[in-house]
Structures are given as structure tokens and as C-alpha cells.
Amino acid sequence: MAVEDVVTVMQAASKLAKRAASTIHGRDHGLEVRVFAPQRGSLELVLEFVAPVATSLIAGLLVEYVKRKLAGPRGDREERDDDPIERLLRSKLADRALAELTSPLGREGILSMRLTTRGGDTLEITREERPQLDRGDRIWEEETETTLRVVSPSFVRGKWRLAEGRNEISAPITDRAFNERIQAGTETFAKGDHLECRVAKYVVTNTRGEMVRLEYEVVHVYRHIPR
């Protein structure tokens, strides 16, 4: 395996694990991903999750997430905001990290990858299965911290209309704690309110690398500023 592929896999594993941790424990999960015991005589890389929270839950969530992705969409499955698996399945950051994590399967000579947790759960992904995990388009994310003006809120799952200066965007807000406050009625909004937040931007391209569209996601709300 090329050195560049090893680096890609390790970085993708870290991003995917941290995204999973945030769906369970919120922004302050404190998770670190470390390589702690490369095996001699093989291409196996052993990653260790280090965090002040339950890492076994994060590892289990990642395995279940990949299993669901391999199983494909189920039209009869109920989507629930309180289900971390469902939130992870809707995450474009997780999609991108998983595509990067399994990218070596597109290389000549790499036939399979295996994910194993310390609890003994093992999941093998083959070259033939990789297309089921790749979105087909390529999504490059960039995260920035900014202040957005609320143009039109969405209190059911959907996209908010938000503005930064004269630039107006539509974006879901996937901050779990923020959405829980909305459902509890402790957050109320009026047109012209502002949100200090962290926003992920995705550049969606076609197979020729040409930009098709931009997508946005508000991943964390730091502060709600009433008008």
C-alpha cells in the first residue's frame, strides 16, 4: 500500500470516529484516535480510541454504521433524530470519511479491509462492496465559524433559510443539543435573529471534477442572539 493511502486511511478513520463521537456525546467528546501497535509482517494498522467518554459505544456505532451502509437504504425504516445511527447515516462528513477510509480498495492488489473492535466485533469490506459505500459524487468539506441571520427557521427536520450578509443559504442544523432545546420550547425565534455557529460547506462535483452545487450544514450552534 502506498504511503499516501496509509495516511488517507488513518485521517479518514479519525474523522469518522470523531463524527460518531459527536453524535453520541456532543461537541466536547474529547476523542483522540492513535496508532498504537502496527503489526510486523503485515499491512495491519491498529487504531486506539482515547477519550474521557465511553469509546466502546463509539466503536460499536461505527461498525453498525458501516453495516447499515452495506445493507443499503430501507424505505420502511423510521428515521429518528434520537437515534445516533440515523444521524450518522445522514452526515455528509461521515460519508466523505468512509469513502476516504475505504479508498485503498480501489487500488490494484487491495481486495479487502477489516474493521475490528476490542469487543470482538469484526466487519470485513471487500472491493466489490465499496461502491455501496461511496456516494458516487465527491464531497469536499470545509468548516468555518461565522454568524448567520435567521431568515426562515425549520422546526421539523428540514433546511433553515439563513443569511451571511447578502448571501442566503439553505442548510439543516444538525446540532443535537440545539434541536433538543427547540423541541423543549426553550429556544424561540423571530426573523432577523442571529446564530453564532460552525458551518460545514460541501463542494459537490461530478465524475469529471466539475462543481455541480454547494451544500451547507450547521453542525454546531454556539449562541442564539435575539433580534
Side-chain angles (χ1 to χ4, degrees):
M1 185 184 294
V3 170
E4 291 83 2
D5 288 340
V6 175
V7 172
T8 295
V9 167
M10 290 191 295
Q11 290 177 334
S14 178
K15 286 191 286 187
L16 185 57
K18 289 178 180 179
R19 189 61 170 176
S22 68
T23 66
I24 300 175
H25 301 292
R27 176 170 170 263
D28 299 323
H29 51 74
L31 178 70
E32 293 182 3
V33 181
R34 302 174 181 171
V35 178
F36 76 97
Q39 302 298 302
R40 294 183 61 185
S42 75
L43 290 177
E44 182 177 5
L45 294 175
V46 181
L47 303 180
E48 180 180 26
F49 294 170
V50 180
V53 294
T55 56
S56 59
L57 290 177
I58 299 169
L61 175 61
L62 289 176
V63 170
E64 183 62 28
Y65 164 69
V66 177
K67 285 181 180 178
R68 292 272 195 99
K69 294 286 286 187
L70 288 172
R74 282 178 45 194
D76 60 341
R77 186 175 66 221
E78 180 183 359
E79 293 188 357
R80 296 171 46 195
D81 279 330
D82 61 347
D83 183 350
I85 290 289
E86 292 295 338
R87 294 200 303 275
L88 201 57
L89 286 169
R90 293 197 299 270
S91 169
K92 294 182 178 64
L93 285 171
D95 271 356
R96 177 61 185 166
L98 183 59
E100 291 178 350
L101 179 64
T102 57
S103 61
L105 291 172
R107 306 291 192 191
E108 190 66 31
I110 307 296
L111 302 180
S112 67
M113 298 180 70
R114 187 170 62 244
L115 307 177
T116 305
T117 70
R118 284 195 170 185
D121 295 323
T122 299
L123 180 64
E124 186 167 352
I125 307 167
T126 66
R127 170 180 285 193
E128 291 73 20
E129 291 174 317
R130 184 177 183 263
Q132 297 170 240
L133 305 177
D134 202 337
R135 291 173 54 91
D137 52 13
R138 291 174 292 169
I139 302 176
W140 302 91
E141 70 273 8
E142 175 186 71
E143 290 196 12
T144 57
E145 295 186 359
T146 187
T147 299
L148 298 175
R149 186 178 77 256
V150 176
V151 177
S152 177
S154 174
F155 300 117
V156 183
R157 185 184 303 122
K159 293 185 176 181
W160 292 54
R161 288 177 59 206
L162 304 162
E164 183 177 26
R166 295 186 178 182
N167 181 37
E168 190 170 305
I169 64 172
S170 294
I173 297 181
T174 55
D175 182 327
R176 180 180 64 175
F178 178 78
N179 286 320
E180 286 176 350
R181 293 196 299 272
I182 289 177
Q183 296 303 316
T186 58
E187 292 276 3
T188 58
F189 292 88
K191 182 178 179 180
D193 285 6
H194 287 76
L195 299 175
E196 291 182 356
C197 52
R198 187 167 79 252
V199 180
K201 180 176 73 175
Y202 309 97
V203 180
V204 184
T205 64
N206 58 26
T207 55
R208 296 186 299 274
E210 300 164 339
M211 188 179 76
V212 177
R213 64 185 181 276
L214 295 176
E215 294 182 354
Y216 299 88
E217 175 187 359
V218 178
V219 295
H220 187 75
V221 177
Y222 298 107
R223 183 183 174 204
H224 169 206
I225 307 171
R227 181 176 56 177

